[in-house]
Amino acid sequence: MKMSRRVFIGSGAAMAAIAAHQFSRPAAVRAQSGGQLNLYSARHYDTDDALYQSFTDRTGVRVNLVEAEADQLIERIKSEGANSPADVFITVDAGRLWRAQQDNLLEPVSSRVLTEAVPASLRDPDGHWFGLSKRARVIMYSKDRVNPSELSTYEDLADAKWRRRLLVRSSTHVYNQSLTGSILAARGARGTEEWARGVVANFARPPEGNDTAQIQAIAAGLGDIALTNTYYLARLLKSENPEERAIAEQVGAFFPNQRDRGTHVNVSGGGVLRTAPNKAAAVQFLEHMVSQEAQEIFAKGN
Ligand code: FE
């Protein structure tokens, strides 16, 4: 039996339709509290089913999954208000967890299991959210045209030696906003603006596509280096499609800033909603996500 209903939401209208379809009787959902958990997730990975199934196997709690972009989920939780069936909110970056917290949607959780498993730097100090997996944003490079000894730091990407060689997805994407946040913390506002101008001046093309598209563009010779998360390269390396594997073979991953603050790491994480009808199950769910069993699924799946 499949434990979760997978819903992928592309627009506000579709969201409203699915809301009406899936949660037309919130009172009934609440009446069965304990037996199920309503998970609003911005993760879109097929392997996540195994994660949620492992929780159901362990606890008997059924997981009802709603997937959408994080901002859409935040809007949905706000519009559902006190009647929201959402128990747990999961995103693929700390930036949106912070936004949900700013909107007062998250309940502080105090759990020794969580505070012991998750390093303090990867969770909210008051327990509004917890990082569940780390994701490094690194420099990908053409093995043909770049010697990794030429690479060093994120700051160096603004250097004129990379003119017309750098590929990156749009700055509207939260991965890049979080990375820029890390530059801001390290270099201050003026330094960050200068850096951003240098980076833009080095673009090989106007930003387009996702992280995978940047790696493909290196292989196609459109640029020599790119900023992407590591798992996009791992996915291509493990692809069933030999052409994708051939693309990945041409690209190396470099972890910048090893001599100072280290490579920028974001988290995929989650928190319990203030209005969660199944709070105990929600905390139990987060605790399961940091267990050895779930952590292995995270690492191998992504
Ligand atoms: Fe991603």
Side-chain angles (χ1 to χ4, degrees), residues 91-247:
T91 76
V92 293
D93 65 274
R96 271 156 181 143
L97 289 168
W98 180 83
R99 272 182 216 166
Q101 182 184 345
Q102 292 300 300
D103 288 341
N104 198 26
L105 300 180
L106 300 177
E107 171 98 356
V109 168
S110 87
S111 153
R112 268 189 79 156
V113 173
L114 288 168
T115 50
E116 279 176 11
V118 183
S121 61
L122 303 178
R123 56 179 157 85
D124 172 59
D126 299 321
H128 290 93
W129 54 264
F130 297 85
L132 303 174
S133 80
K134 290 195 282 188
R135 19 184 62 210
R137 196 152 185 78
V138 305
I139 302 171
M140 299 293 177
Y141 62 93
S142 160
K143 289 180 183 169
D144 285 342
R145 299 183 298 276
V146 176
N147 187 318
S149 69
E150 300 171 73
L151 296 165
S152 57
T153 61
Y154 297 107
E155 284 84 340
D156 176 66
L157 298 179
D159 190 282
K161 77 178 180 212
W162 302 115
R163 198 62 32 108
R164 284 187 287 279
R165 300 174 76 190
L166 173 63
L167 296 150
V168 65
R169 78 195 300 172
S170 167
S171 62
T172 58
H173 197 277
V174 73
Y175 290 169
N176 286 334
Q177 293 170 6
S178 294
L179 172 64
T180 304
S182 79
I183 306 287
L184 190 59
R187 302 283 156 196
R190 271 190 63 185
T192 303
E193 188 175 346
E194 228 170 82
W195 174 78
R197 286 185 196 286
V199 163
V200 170
N202 289 341
F203 281 173
R205 63 171 179 184
E208 62 172 71
N210 63 8
D211 280 7
T212 303
Q214 314 313 316
I215 296 171
Q216 289 167 332
I218 291 178
L222 295 172
D224 297 336
I225 55 172
L227 274 167
T228 84
N229 290 357
T230 53
Y231 53 86
Y232 289 88
L233 182 62
R235 266 184 216 161
L236 291 173
L237 283 167
K238 281 193 66 180
S239 171
E240 315 250 294
N241 179 345
E243 284 171 29
E244 290 190 338
R245 289 201 304 275
I247 286 169

Side-chain angles (χ1 to χ4, degrees), residues 250-266:
Q250 299 174 53
V251 175
F254 181 85
F255 286 72
N257 294 75
Q258 293 307 298
R259 297 204 175 157
D260 46 55
R261 66 187 181 277
T263 294
H264 170 66
V265 167
N266 206 332

